[in-house]
Amino acid sequence: MPTIHVSRAPTRANEVKRYFEYSESGVEVLEDGLKEITFGEYLVEEQVLDRFQLFRALQMQDRLPGVRLGEAAAALGYAPIGAIEKIYARYRELSSVSIA
């Protein structure tokens, strides 16, 4: 994971408060901030794997260095490798935010 360096410029309290205000137009905020999601969590979110299956695939990956998570899940019979590759392509297309 890359290191993120943040320089802190002097700010006024009201500027910070305004930046983090929520819209009054009915937007429901479930969580604050951005969330990084791993491919394994994405597989669970997309209901390809359940948490137990993800755990087992991660265990296999730990025992066999160099094996990709999708390969481990397919080898355990949880999903066909072709389906995992398609989901991985969708995962790679997720919007991301780069912080400089």
Side-chain angles (χ1 to χ4, degrees):
M1 180 188 254
T3 304
I4 300 172
H5 299 281
V6 178
S7 64
R8 300 201 181 268
T11 58
R12 292 180 283 175
N14 60 350
E15 288 177 352
V16 173
K17 182 180 176 186
R18 186 177 38 130
Y19 181 80
F20 287 102
E21 283 179 344
Y22 298 119
S23 170
E24 297 288 330
S25 63
V27 175
E28 181 181 0
V29 177
L30 300 176
E31 279 186 26
D32 284 340
L34 300 175
K35 181 173 90 171
E36 183 178 343
I37 185 169
T38 63
F39 182 57
E41 288 297 323
Y42 186 72
L43 288 172
V44 171
E45 189 175 283
E46 293 293 309
Q47 299 179 346
V48 175
L49 302 178
D50 60 31
R51 292 234 174 258
F52 178 76
Q53 291 171 330
L54 173 60
F55 179 70
R56 293 295 307 266
L58 288 170
Q59 284 180 320
M60 177 184 245
Q61 189 181 36
D62 189 46
R63 285 191 309 268
L64 303 169
V67 172
R68 295 177 178 176
L69 180 61
E71 293 170 335
L76 290 167
Y78 298 144
I81 191 70
I84 292 175
E85 288 172 346
K86 287 179 185 176
I87 292 168
Y88 182 72
R90 283 200 327 244
Y91 170 76
R92 297 291 298 167
E93 292 175 0
L94 290 175
S95 297
S96 62
V97 176
S98 297
I99 301 174

